[in-house]
């Protein structure tokens, strides 16, 4: 009597053809990530020095959960239970914690594709402190020094070479090797 | 770009929602129709549309959808566009209708108020033009009205829809199912509109409904008993009060073939109506919750649902709709029932316990039991009563108050539902309960009705109303029959197969309720007899059972056996007869393989009371135990135990007993009882027979033991506790690491039983843990109920073990989530003197969440052992300092020391100092270590622990290389000892890594 309720997955316009990643497989410092996640918690806002608002949200898929930094008004719209598709997301490390972030308007996109009806797992939490990640705040200055060289590098290796960057990408100690000009802002969000 | 802004009028603009295929299609079609007809006159428009449509099916679709979009978008031209649609459509608008339905089902929430009004206009036009299948469109729109929502938006839509329906009565009257659906919907909505702000709307609704109910009652009757339920909720509105009077006292005035209230109440409501009161969105979520989400993971989903639909006071009435939907529509398949998906009763429990209004809570209970009141095994479905009985059963332990209010309600509803039908209600509820036993939803109801967790008054009331089900488990009149068709041991925990499942939701079946007038005098007599019958009922079954059991006696070929069985049926407590039977059985010299199963069934039938009675005497001593074994059942066991394993008798009896076990799972623990009660002091292996039995029956010992003990715990808790110590002694390999068994024990013991267990642990009679079993078992226990965890920890501490056995558990603890384990750990560690090794262990195993846990331990120690702590801290810090220096010298990357990192050590020290006033920082050793550390550590560390470094006394600050060297030397001794222990540690290394690994595998 009623129409079938087949939920068709919306086609994303972002045509760079990336496969969808699973949270469990995230490794710093990946970028150009496409993920489908469900929002578990939306954190309180923090404000950066330049007045931008950022919230740390906990998002998950069936393989694990990770923190996501959400900027400005998007943080008011996103609710827990929303199922989001992230395009062109990238990973940042802040205080040795992994977080995912999307730069809206600079190639990054967040779309709500549903709510509620998605299974998830809260373990492993990829944002638990990991001493192998660079400690962002204190290493800012060092990064800036290395920025020019490194930025070119990482830009070149973006694209399909996740595996390459992840195997060599484990950063030890304070030598933040891979840096992204956007990362400083992303990092400022976490308290 | 233009089209995008135009569609903005159709949908509420959103920066987040993804544009999907549906929207793209709307946009594209609309665009192409626009470009076709822009600036043309009506006639030209008509011509060009007609030619385009006839060119191809694709064009037809595009134009149709384009026109539909235009009609929804622009009120000024929509009449024109609808007319165009009617004119050009080649398929009687079926394509447009199905597209509109899709739009409603998927996008309704995002439509603007204006486009919703346009949709109603469209519906009106379709009705006027008598388009086929417009009723579906109408129903889909009705479903979009959420119950319990008094927002102005919703009220406006409700009223607009009502106006439309009032104007379309002639159309509706051609479709009886539509009338019933509309009445069901609005009758439910009036209940919400009792609120004062809705007077005008309510009055309109009342007039409409009373008109429908009085003129078209025959059509409304197809709703069934839920029509009465809804009428009950609005009975205080004067018009409905008058209607009620006619319903009760003058039924034929409503419809010539309506015989009275009972007729309606005996009709199960079709799932179609129950589904109608959930929006497609709610339905999708409830279906997802009950078919996908694993039990234990539901919390967040429930919170989300609650936040979205059940947060306001007026939305509480929605709970009834949800409960009726779950009870009547969500009927899981057997496969789903066996899976770990959240069961329906748990969802119902959530809906009941989170209700914030008393009226809604009472209505919710009524909704839950509504199919019980007039339950008829022939017409009703066991799945409609299953959730209520299971929610009572499963809440008894964790939330006895929930079970109590439900049982209380069940007792009170009998006389209060409608006094003239008191006996019918009683009969209906009794029918439901009997069906529950018959289908094996629960093996027995006495644990529910006669449970000392319930207060005296309630138990009295239950005894009065349900004496048939209270007394003892053997009252299940047809138990043997049920076991007959489902011999598997787990059958009794699972409901029987269902004919329906959730997937046939969309079937447009209208159940054809044949209305049989059965409210006659004859019927009334039956009611009176019903009482008498109930009284006999209790005593009849035993004989009946034996008769039915003996029905299969002809399958037995051997005449001697047959005659013994007949005699046993007469005298089921005669041990001599059983002895003779066993002798005869052993002497049979024909092929017996196919005879064991019927034999076992017959014996089970004959010995039924011995297979269900409680075993353990009130006073346990040798005499009473021996006496309790003086039963035919135990004659079987005794003969078995006395035969030697290569005997023919042994083989035969094992065959028979294994078969019997299929029919009565309780046989397993009865054998354990026999072995314990019968065994002599210091017997070498008193339980070897149990092992033989399981070998023979192909049961894996560990799981068999668990299954038997589970069964025992359900039937007889006292016996369970009596058996446990022996099991740990004689089946150590099965029991010691068995968390499930431990939980079974922890969940069932009472204080005195726990105490006696602890005593036997202290005496050394029982060992429940081994060194390597503590951590895994305790880790599992973290999710158990508080009482269960407390029991486990009591038992752990009774074992008097070194804390290092349990220390690794710290890494899994969080103060907020595991308060029980935390408390226990703190008291365990209190008596321990801290050592460097222990601290290493503690600090390195704790992540961020563990920091607060380990800090608590440190705080505790700091009071007594401050000097030990300061020594340990300084040596741990020095370890890193020296390493850093060596590293600097050799320029080689060295392995970081095993154990805590410098960050972890300093972090702990810092949080210790901020948690308690301590002079630990002033001790010389720590001062020196910190000073050393401040010179070698990184900037980030220096910043992170600046509070600590600030405590370093200024007199030590001036750094001269000479001094440094000296301190280095001074530390040399302790340093070398550290590095040797450090190498040891490396072998057992990364605690951290291992931890993440386990987490990984858990999630998979």
């Amino acid at each position: 009597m009623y129409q079938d309720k087949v939920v068709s997955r919306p086609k994303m316009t972002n045509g760079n053809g990336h496969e969808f990643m699973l949270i469990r497989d995230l490794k710093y410092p990946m970028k150009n990530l496409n993920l489908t996640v469900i929002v578990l918690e939306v954190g309180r806002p923090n404000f950066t020095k330049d007045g931008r608002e950022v919230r740390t949200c906990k998002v998950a898929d069936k393989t694990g959960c990770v923190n996501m930094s959400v900027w400005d008004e998007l943080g008011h719209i996103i609710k827990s239970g929303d199922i989001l598709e992230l395009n062109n997301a990238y990973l940042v490390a802040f205080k040795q914690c992994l977080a995912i972030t999307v730069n809206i308007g600079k190639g990054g996109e967040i779309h709500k594709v549903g709510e509620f009806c998605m299974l998830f797992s809260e373990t492993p939490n990829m944002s638990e402190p990991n001493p192998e990640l660079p400690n962002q705040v204190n290493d800012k200055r060092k990064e800036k020094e290395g920025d020019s060289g490194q930025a070119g590098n990482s830009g070149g290796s973006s694209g399909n070479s996740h595996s390459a960057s992840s195997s060599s990408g484990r950063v030890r100690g304070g030598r933040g090797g891979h840096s992204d000009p956007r990362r400083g802002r992303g990092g400022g969000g976490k308290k | 770009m233009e089209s995008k802004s135009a569609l903005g009028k159709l949908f509420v603009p959103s920066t987040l929602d993804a544009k999907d295929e549906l929207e793209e299609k709307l946009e594209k079609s609309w665009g192409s129709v626009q470009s076709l007809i822009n600036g043309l006159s009506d006639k030209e428009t008509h011509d060009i549309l007609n030619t385009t449509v006839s060119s191809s099916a694709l064009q037809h679709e595009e134009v149709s959808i384009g026109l539909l979009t235009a009609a929804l978008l622009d009120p000024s031209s929509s009449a024109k566009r609808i007319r165009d649609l009617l004119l050009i459509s080649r398929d009687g608008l079926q394509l447009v209708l199905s597209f509109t339905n899709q739009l409603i089902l998927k996008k309704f929430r995002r439509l603007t108020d204006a486009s919703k009004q346009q949709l109603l206009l469209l519906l009106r036009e379709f009705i006027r033009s008598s388009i086929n299948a417009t009723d579906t469109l109408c129903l889909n729109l009705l479903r979009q009205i959420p119950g319990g929502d008094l927002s102005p938006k919703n009220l406006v839509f409700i009223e607009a829809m009502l106006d439309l329906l009032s104007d379309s009565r002639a159309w509706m009257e051609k479709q009886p199912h539509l009338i019933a659906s509309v009445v069901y919907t609005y009758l439910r909505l009036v209940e919400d509109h009792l609120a004062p702000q809705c007077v005008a709307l309510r009055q309109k609704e009342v007039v409409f409904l009373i008109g429908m109910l009085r003129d078209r009652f025959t059509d409304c009757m197809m709703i069934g008993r839920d029509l009465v339920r809804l009428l009950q909720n609005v009975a205080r509105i004067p018009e409905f009060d008058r209607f009620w009077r006619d319903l009760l006292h003058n039924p034929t005035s409503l419809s010539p073939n309506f015989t009275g209230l009972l007729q309606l109440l005996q009709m199960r409501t079709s799932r179609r109506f129950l589904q109608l009161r959930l929006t497609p969105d709610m339905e999708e979520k409830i279906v997802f919750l009950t078919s996908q989400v694993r039990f234990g993971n539901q919390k967040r989903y429930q919170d989300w649902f609650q936040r979205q639909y059940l947060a306001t006071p007026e939305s509480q009435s929605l709970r009834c709709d949800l409960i009726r939907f779950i009870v009547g529509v969500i009927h899981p398949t057997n496969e789903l029932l066996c899976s770990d998906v959240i069961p329906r009763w748990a969802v119902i429990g959530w809906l009941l316990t989170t209700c914030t209004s008393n009226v809604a809570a009472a209505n919710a209970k009524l909704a839950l039991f509504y199919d019980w009141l007039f339950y008829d095994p022939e017409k009703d479905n066991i799945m409609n009563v299953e959730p209520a009985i299971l929610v009572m059963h499963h809440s008894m332990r964790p939330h006895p108050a929930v079970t109590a209010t439900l049982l209380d309600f069940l007792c009170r509803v009998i006389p209060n539902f409608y006094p003239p039908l008191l006996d019918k209600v009683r009969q209906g509820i009794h029918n439901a309960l009997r069906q529950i036993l018959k289908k094996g939803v629960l093996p027995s109801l006495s644990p529910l009705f006669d449970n000392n967790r319930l207060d005296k008054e309630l138990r009295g009331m239950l005894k009065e109303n349900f004496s048939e089900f209270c007394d003892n488990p053997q009252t299940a009149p047809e138990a043997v029959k049920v076991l007959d068709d489902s011999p598997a041991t787990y059958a009794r925990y699972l409901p029987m197969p269902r004919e329906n499942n959730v997937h046939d939701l969309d079937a447009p079946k209208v159940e054809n309720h044949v209305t049989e007038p059965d409210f006659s005098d004859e019927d009334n007599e039956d009611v009176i007899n019903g009482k008498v019958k109930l009284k006999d009922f209790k005593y009849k079954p035993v004989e009946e059972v034996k008769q039915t059991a003996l029905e299969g006696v002809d399958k037995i070929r051997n005449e001697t056996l047959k005659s013994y069985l007949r005699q046993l049926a007469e005298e089921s407590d005669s041990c001599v007869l059983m002895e003779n039977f066993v002798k005869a059985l052993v002497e049979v010299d024909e092929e017996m393989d196919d005879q064991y199963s019927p034999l076992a069934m017959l014996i089970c039938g004959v010995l039924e009371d011995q297979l269900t009675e409680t075993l353990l005497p009130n006073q346990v001593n040798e005499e009473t135990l021996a006496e309790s074994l003086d039963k035919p059942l135990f004659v079987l066991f005794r003969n078995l135990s006395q035969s030697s394993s290569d005997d023919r008798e042994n083989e035969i009896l094992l065959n028979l007993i294994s078969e019997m076990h299929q029919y009565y799972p309780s046989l397993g623990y009865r054998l354990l009882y026999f072995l314990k009660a019968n065994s002599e002091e210091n017997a070498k292996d008193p339980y070897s027979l149990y092992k033989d039995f399981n070998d023979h029956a192909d049961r894996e010992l560990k799981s068999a033991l668990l299954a038997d003990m589970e069964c025992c715990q359900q039937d007889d808790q006292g016996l369970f506790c009596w058996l446990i110590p022996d099991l740990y002694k004689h089946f150590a390999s099965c029991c010691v690491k068995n968390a499930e068994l431990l939980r079974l024990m922890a969940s069932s013991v009472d204080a005195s039983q726990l105490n006696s267990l602890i005593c036997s642990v202290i005496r050394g009679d029982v060992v429940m843990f081994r060194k390597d079993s503590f951590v895994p078992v305790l880790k599992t226990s973290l999710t158990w109920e508080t009482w269960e965890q407390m029991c486990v920890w009591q038992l752990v501490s009774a074992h008097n073990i070194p804390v290092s056995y349990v220390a690794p558990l710290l890494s899994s603890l969080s103060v907020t989530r595991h308060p029980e384990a935390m408390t226990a750990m703190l008291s365990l560690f209190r008596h321990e003197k801290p050592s460097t090794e222990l601290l290493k262990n503690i600090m390195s195993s704790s992540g961020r969440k563990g920091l607060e846990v380990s800090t608590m331990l440190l705080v505790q120690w700091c009071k007594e052992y401050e000097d030990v702590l300061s020594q340990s801290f300084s040596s741990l810090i020095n370890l890193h300092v020296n390493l850093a220096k060596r590293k600097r010298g050799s320029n080689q990357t060295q392995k970081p020391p095993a154990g805590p990192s410098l960050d972890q050590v300093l972090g702990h020290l810092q949080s210790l100092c901020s948690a308690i006033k301590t002079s630990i920082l002033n001790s010389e050793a720590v001062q020196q270590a910190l000073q050393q550390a401040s010179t070698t550590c990184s900037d980030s560390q220096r910043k992170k622990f600046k509070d600590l470094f600030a405590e370093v006394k200024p007199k030590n600050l001036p750094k001269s290389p000479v001094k440094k060297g000296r301190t280095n030397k001074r530390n040399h001794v302790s340093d070398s000892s550290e590095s040797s222990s450090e190498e040891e540690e490396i072998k057992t290394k990364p605690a951290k890594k291992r931890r993440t690994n386990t987490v990984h595998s858990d999630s998979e």
Side-chain angles (χ1 to χ4, degrees), chain A residues 1-12 24 38-41 58 63 74 77-82 84 97 110-113 115-124 128-129 131 135 137-138 190, chain B residues 15-21 98 101-102 105-106 109 135-136 139-140 143 177 272 275-276 280-281 283-285 288-289 292-293 297 300-301 304-305 307-308 506 508 848 940 943 992 995 999-1000 1003-1004:
Chain A
M1 165 145 283
Y2 303 109
Q3 293 299 313
D4 285 346
K5 299 179 310 284
V6 183
V7 180
S8 61
R9 178 162 283 289
K11 249 187 216 157
M12 298 310 299
R24 183 181 51 198
I38 185 162
V39 181
L40 303 186
E41 286 160 17
K58 194 174 181 186
T63 67
L74 211 52
I77 304 172
I78 289 177
K79 289 194 304 294
S80 60
D82 284 354
L84 304 178
C97 297
I110 297 182
H111 289 289
K112 177 172 165 178
V113 293
E115 52 187 45
F116 195 94
C117 299
M118 174 171 166
L119 294 177
F120 62 84
S121 165
E122 294 195 45
T123 53
E128 295 231 312
N135 196 331
V137 163
N138 297 298
K190 270 213 63 179
Chain B
T15 45
L16 195 57
D17 288 80
K19 201 198 250 176
D20 60 10
E21 284 162 1
S98 94
N101 281 324
Q102 265 188 61
L105 284 171
K106 289 185 197 161
R109 271 198 308 164
D135 55 332
T136 311
L139 285 175
N140 279 335
R143 278 197 77 190
H177 75 275
R272 217 161 48 83
Q275 187 196 24
L276 199 58
D281 187 54
E283 180 187 347
E284 190 188 358
K285 286 173 183 171
F288 179 82
L289 182 66
Q292 305 277 319
V293 177
N297 286 357
R300 285 193 195 270
Y301 295 104
W304 295 332
F305 197 91
R307 184 191 65 199
Q308 190 170 9
D506 295 346
R848 187 199 272 166
S940 63
K943 198 168 172 192
K992 238 188 143 146
R995 195 179 104 222
V999 173
H1000 258 285
S1003 73
E1004 272 158 7

Side-chain angles (χ1 to χ4, degrees), chain A residues 43-161:
Chain A
R44 287 162 185 275
N46 287 301
F47 295 91
T48 58
K49 275 179 200 143
D50 50 342
R52 292 189 69 191
E53 187 184 314
V54 63
R55 294 166 195 258
T56 301
C57 299
K58 194 174 181 186
V59 301
D61 66 12
K62 64 175 194 274
T63 67
C65 74
V66 68
N67 288 345
M68 177 168 96
S69 308
V70 177
W71 291 88
D72 302 322
E73 69 274 10
L74 211 52
H76 302 256
I77 304 172
I78 289 177
K79 289 194 304 294
S80 60
D82 284 354
I83 302 172
L84 304 178
E85 211 160 86
L86 315 179
N87 293 111
N88 234 330
Y90 60 96
L91 293 177
V92 293
F94 177 69
K95 287 193 179 168
Q96 304 195 324
C97 297
L98 196 69
I100 199 163
T101 195
V102 183
N103 236 352
I104 307 287
K106 293 181 187 165
E109 288 179 43
I110 297 182
H111 289 289
K112 177 172 165 178
V113 293
E115 52 187 45
F116 195 94
C117 299
M118 174 171 166
L119 294 177
F120 62 84
S121 165
E122 294 195 45
T123 53
N125 183 348
M126 303 301 282
S127 295
E128 295 231 312
N130 178 356
E132 288 183 35
L133 290 171
N135 196 331
Q136 177 98 25
V137 163
N138 297 298
D139 296 337
K140 233 177 196 170
R141 203 169 301 157
K142 280 185 196 168
E143 265 171 33
K144 269 186 186 158
E145 286 162 18
D147 240 352
S148 50
Q150 296 287 353
N153 241 343
S154 56
S157 71
S158 71
N160 299 331
S161 58

